[in-house]
Amino acid sequence: MDAAVAVLQDAELKSMKVVERDEFAQAWRLLLDGKAAWAARYTPELLTAFGQCVEVAAQEVKLQHLPKSDPAASPVPSRRPGGPGAGGLDTFSLVEDADVTQAIESSRLLQQILPRVEQSLAELDSLMSSAQGLTNVRPELNPLRPEIFARVLQDMLASSQPDAAILALWIKHLAGPLAHEIQKLYGRIIHLLELAHVQAANYRVLQTPAGRASLQRRNGGGDPAASSGNGGHDGADTPPYKQPSQYADLSNYEIRDELFQDFLFHGGSSADQGLAPSYYASIQEELNALTASPDSAAAPLPDSTYEEDAGHAGYRAMPAVDRPVRMVDVSSPLSPKVWGAYGRSRERAIVRTQLKKEATQVGQVLGLEVVRKLVNQVAQDPRLLVPVREAIVALEPSLLRLAMVDPRFFSEERHPGRRLMERVAQRSFKYNDEYSADFAVFFEALTRAFNELNALAIADSKPFGMVLAGLEQAWDEQDKTEFQGRQKVLKALHFAEERQECADRIAFDMSSRSDLDNVPGVVLDFLFGPWSLAMAHARLTDQRNQVDPEGFGSVVPDLLWSVKRDVTLKRPARLIEMIPGLLDKLHTGLDMLGQSPRENEKFFESLMKLHRPVLKLRRLKSQRDAEESGIAALAPEELPATPEQRRAKAAGQPWLGRDELDAAGFEDTLPTAPGELAAMDMMDDASEAMQPAAMTEPPVALVPELAGPAGFTRQEAETILMRLRTGHWVDLYSKHRWLRAQLVWASTKATLFMFLSHGGQPHSMTKRSCEKLIMQRWLRPVNAQAVVAQALDNVTAEAQATAQKHQENQEKQARAGGHQDFSPSAAPQDEFETV
């Protein structure tokens, strides 16, 4: 709701039409008004809806255990409302316009949510079905499906009976944030179920006879005749007999071959075919050559992964973000101390070739080839630290063994083997220096886990899932302290943001008061600024549900009356009696807010000048002197507020107190000392809030280590910053060090940002400061997109490019030979059949 309110407020400001602006304003105000009540209702109503779904699923579990002859066990045909043939005339009924509108809005809400959660939802459906005791995946029985979240939210919003246009605006702007939260929730639940060793259920597939025969062949079972004719087999020890015409000759196999492309792009229509004797003969020759070659371990290798590369003098002394990329691939020698025998590229090649010899189907050989190329691509990914890339190379033997039992595991994004590689890569983005102590802890656990996998005989994907679950559990333990500190800081920032929103509403209400005439601008600035914050703070921290917490609201009319000279001169006794209590209450409110006296010193000096004529009145000798003093020229601070000053404006960013600034790490990252931020932000955008205190460190421009040309213009920097999302990683220069930090919070108006570096150290700054850092390349976003997916894309692109080049060569040869080449790869199908 906070995110929706921010977007609606922004839309209101940008709209050029009065009607639209009124709609946006009404939408966000009503949303704020109902926020507290809806927040309290949403959880229990969700739980009720979940409970109803669980009861339905429990009934389904009972039905699947009943004997098939039992009438109760007969499946109830599912009905789809609407559509041709859905039913007779008796199925039609009159529908209210409101119901139609609600159905349309419900459909729109779901359409915006489903694409964002589709991927994790499919995995959750299978795990949840298994946890519920269902034998097959039943997505409609998942109690946490998006429809439940959407329906409860919509029913709750509709209960307030808003206008259709308002409800449509709410639904439109709540869908995105809701989908984001559901996606995060699904990820946590999937992780929880995997730690509990819940095995995903399978989808039930209704097959045609041809499809069923194909599945039997693929699984090595079924009709012996079909098996013998199509390459299926019952055991893995000896390949079954096949007719020579069903053999696939891979003795001269190359990457450009159609078999590989078909396997990579379409799943492999020939994956179940057997292998010709010539293939085994060529593989045996390759294996003999490898075993006869000198041991690669004789070459000198570094004793440690962390040892300095001899080719780059001073490599370790360089800033982490400026170190040159070191080459790693499947043939690279690795540290024997870390990876044992598999540190030698020859040993890994022997394993790969031995597995090729043990293969009985084309799919296994192609799977081994894809794994080799996939590992090679990940090993060359410059975004990963060198030890991480070497770890993926060292894991190749286990991945190859997995490809023998599951040749296309790489194509399933949620497969444990692929997820292990991806999660290790993503976790490694937490570090930017391979020589740091923090990375050493991460890498030690990683090497232990990978070496254990390499020592196992891989029969299925379970070992990969168990290793990943163990690593995730250890990572979660490491993150607990950091998470607790993060939550504490985020709670303070969320409170500050909520306090600012409340203060903006209070200021807006005060700006419509009827007693603002002839009130000096300096007083209205104080009321719309610090004092509205103090009133908001009192309301949010009030535990007794008071109408006017701490009595701060009652100060407003007294303060406004006290600064009107033409009124107070007529009743000086009242003002003299009022001043001590008024000042005491003002100081109490500002102290509660956490503002120092220095921050409001100008206001109190102006207030004293405004009260001075009345205080002097006791010493005046006559009413005539009093009148003369009343017509004296007004000082600037005594001038009535301008029309512009009488309009309250929403703050550009939430105000933060001294303690909140320190906790959020505003002084930890240059150039974000609060005093500098205030000066810079007020110059660039007068609507942004002032920050207290003076700068305690020198400006970044004076740091000699960072001398160099600017990297981006302000416009480019703003574009880069706006692309950052919560969870994205950056390299950040702070305290004369390069740190890897993660964006964990951004204010709803994107004017404040907080990053966390290792150990939970916060680094917060304004939008302007972020832009300055990006312009000077002192804040550099890190590309942490999916590593394995990108590697697969590269493998695919390489195969396509090779295939295209091969086809072009064939066409050139055909043209050169007078179109006499009628090979399958060069000739059209009809011409080939004619020949």
Side-chain angles (χ1 to χ4, degrees), residues 333-529:
L334 310 178
S335 168
K337 278 190 175 181
V338 178
W339 301 113
Y342 291 135
R344 299 190 289 271
S345 59
R346 172 175 172 269
E347 292 298 324
R348 299 193 299 273
I350 288 175
V351 170
R352 183 167 57 245
T353 309
Q354 184 65 44
L355 290 173
K356 284 184 179 180
K357 181 181 176 182
E358 295 172 6
T360 59
Q361 294 180 338
V362 170
Q364 291 175 313
V365 179
L366 299 179
L368 293 172
E369 183 69 18
V370 173
V371 167
R372 174 178 165 274
K373 292 184 173 298
L374 177 63
V375 169
N376 198 49
Q377 287 291 339
V378 175
Q380 297 179 51
D381 194 326
R383 298 175 297 165
L384 302 176
L385 294 175
V386 170
V388 177
R389 290 188 274 143
E390 291 178 340
I392 297 298
V393 172
L395 186 63
E396 183 190 9
S398 290
L399 295 172
L400 292 170
R401 294 179 184 120
L402 178 61
M404 288 289 288
V405 296
D406 193 354
R408 286 191 55 80
F409 78 89
F410 56 84
S411 64
E412 302 172 25
E413 192 166 352
R414 304 304 300 177
H415 191 284
R418 176 170 169 176
R419 284 192 64 224
L420 176 62
M421 286 193 289
E422 186 62 49
R423 282 296 296 126
V424 165
Q426 291 298 322
R427 180 71 180 187
S428 73
F429 285 129
K430 189 180 179 72
Y431 313 94
N432 67 351
D433 187 355
E434 63 192 84
Y435 301 107
S436 69
D438 297 329
F439 177 78
V441 174
F442 161 78
F443 191 68
E444 182 181 357
L446 181 63
T447 54
R448 186 166 55 249
F450 279 16
N451 281 327
E452 289 174 0
L453 263 180
N454 279 340
L456 295 176
I458 305 297
D460 52 35
S461 64
K462 288 181 180 178
F464 289 84
M466 293 176 64
V467 165
L468 177 58
L471 288 172
E472 294 272 18
Q473 189 172 12
W475 294 339
D476 289 344
E477 288 293 327
Q478 294 170 9
D479 292 343
K480 271 186 180 179
T481 303
E482 180 178 316
F483 177 78
Q484 292 169 356
R486 175 193 304 186
Q487 291 304 107
K488 183 178 179 181
V489 177
L490 288 178
K491 183 178 180 181
L493 289 174
H494 285 307
F495 176 81
E497 197 167 28
E498 186 177 5
R499 178 179 60 200
Q500 188 63 64
E501 291 173 359
C502 182
D504 290 341
R505 294 195 299 273
I506 291 172
F508 181 81
D509 293 340
M510 282 195 291
S511 68
S512 61
R513 293 177 64 99
S514 59
D515 54 353
L516 299 185
D517 294 336
N518 298 320
V519 174
V522 68
V523 176
L524 291 187
D525 290 343
F526 174 79
L527 285 177
F528 296 163

Side-chain angles (χ1 to χ4, degrees), residues 14 21 26 39 92 116 120 126 140 158 204 315 317 338 377 389 438 444 496 509 560 580:
K14 292 179 179 178
R21 285 203 302 271
Q26 187 181 6
F92 291 90
R116 309 188 190 195
S120 55
S126 59
E140 74 278 6
R204 183 182 180 187
Y315 178 85
V338 178
Q377 287 291 339
R389 290 188 274 143
D438 297 329
E444 182 181 357
D509 293 340
L560 292 174

Side-chain angles (χ1 to χ4, degrees), residues 5-264:
V5 166
V7 176
L8 286 167
Q9 288 175 335
D10 186 57
E12 178 192 2
L13 293 174
K14 292 179 179 178
S15 176
M16 303 300 292
K17 299 179 181 178
V18 176
V19 176
E20 277 187 356
R21 285 203 302 271
D22 290 344
E23 272 193 356
F24 287 134
Q26 187 181 6
W28 71 257
R29 288 196 181 100
L30 289 175
L31 202 56
L32 278 178
D33 291 341
K35 173 183 165 184
W38 288 330
R41 283 179 52 189
Y42 194 52
T43 297
E45 290 187 13
L46 268 181
L47 291 175
T48 301
F50 294 159
Q52 293 170 351
C53 296
V54 169
E55 291 177 5
V56 174
Q59 292 299 322
E60 291 291 331
V61 172
K62 289 181 181 179
L63 287 175
Q64 73 182 11
H65 289 94
L66 290 175
K68 292 186 178 179
S69 59
D70 192 328
S74 301
V76 180
S78 60
R79 294 178 296 175
R80 297 190 179 189
L89 292 176
D90 57 333
T91 62
F92 291 90
S93 62
L94 294 175
V95 181
E96 295 287 346
D97 289 344
D99 294 335
V100 174
T101 301
Q102 186 173 1
I104 292 173
E105 293 303 332
S106 178
S107 176
R108 286 176 179 170
L109 177 59
L110 206 54
Q111 285 174 0
Q112 293 181 70
I113 293 176
L114 282 175
R116 309 188 190 195
V117 302
E118 184 177 6
Q119 186 175 337
S120 55
L121 177 61
E123 184 177 6
L124 180 64
D125 284 339
S126 59
L127 289 169
M128 189 63 73
S129 295
S130 179
Q132 290 173 304
L134 297 164
T135 54
N136 297 107
V137 179
R138 299 286 299 277
E140 74 278 6
L141 297 180
N142 180 358
L144 303 180
R145 59 189 184 275
E147 295 94 315
I148 304 300
F149 291 91
R151 176 170 56 79
V152 173
L153 175 65
Q154 188 178 18
D155 291 347
M156 190 175 66
L157 295 176
S159 66
S160 64
Q161 299 181 341
D163 293 340
I166 298 298
L167 182 59
L169 283 174
W170 286 350
I171 295 298
K172 177 181 178 180
H173 293 93
L174 284 168
L178 178 62
H180 179 69
E181 294 300 325
I182 293 175
Q183 175 75 0
K184 290 198 298 184
L185 177 67
Y186 283 176
R188 292 197 296 269
I189 294 173
I190 290 170
H191 179 51
L192 181 68
L193 292 172
E194 288 177 343
L195 284 178
H197 304 292
V198 174
Q199 297 296 320
N202 295 317
Y203 283 87
R204 183 182 180 187
V205 181
L206 300 179
Q207 301 167 339
T208 62
R212 188 177 298 108
S214 175
L215 181 64
Q216 289 173 344
R217 290 195 302 271
R218 186 171 299 173
N219 291 335
D223 185 2
S227 177
S228 64
N230 293 282
H233 60 87
D234 296 326
D237 296 330
T238 57
Y241 174 79
K242 304 178 183 63
Q243 296 296 328
S245 61
Q246 298 301 317
Y247 287 147
D249 187 3
L250 300 184
S251 56
N252 295 316
Y253 171 74
E254 292 184 12
I255 183 64
R256 67 169 182 265
D257 287 355
E258 290 79 1
L259 275 177
F260 182 85
Q261 296 167 39
D262 180 50
F263 179 76
L264 192 60

Side-chain angles (χ1 to χ4, degrees), residues 526 530-531 534 550 552 555 559 579-605 607-608:
F526 174 79
W531 195 247
E550 305 295 335
F552 291 164
V555 170
L559 179 60
I579 286 176
L582 177 65
L583 293 177
D584 182 63
K585 186 66 74 173
L586 291 176
H587 286 298
T588 299
L590 296 175
D591 289 343
M592 178 183 291
L593 187 61
Q595 288 196 356
S596 66
R598 286 177 51 200
E599 295 175 59
N600 296 286
E601 188 175 351
K602 180 182 177 182
F603 163 73
F604 283 106
E605 287 178 354
L607 185 62
M608 184 172 65

Side-chain angles (χ1 to χ4, degrees), residues 669-689:
T669 306
L670 295 172
T672 55
E676 183 183 357
L677 292 184
M680 178 172 58
D681 292 341
M682 289 301 291
M683 277 194 299
D684 292 339
D685 187 351
S687 66
E688 293 192 7

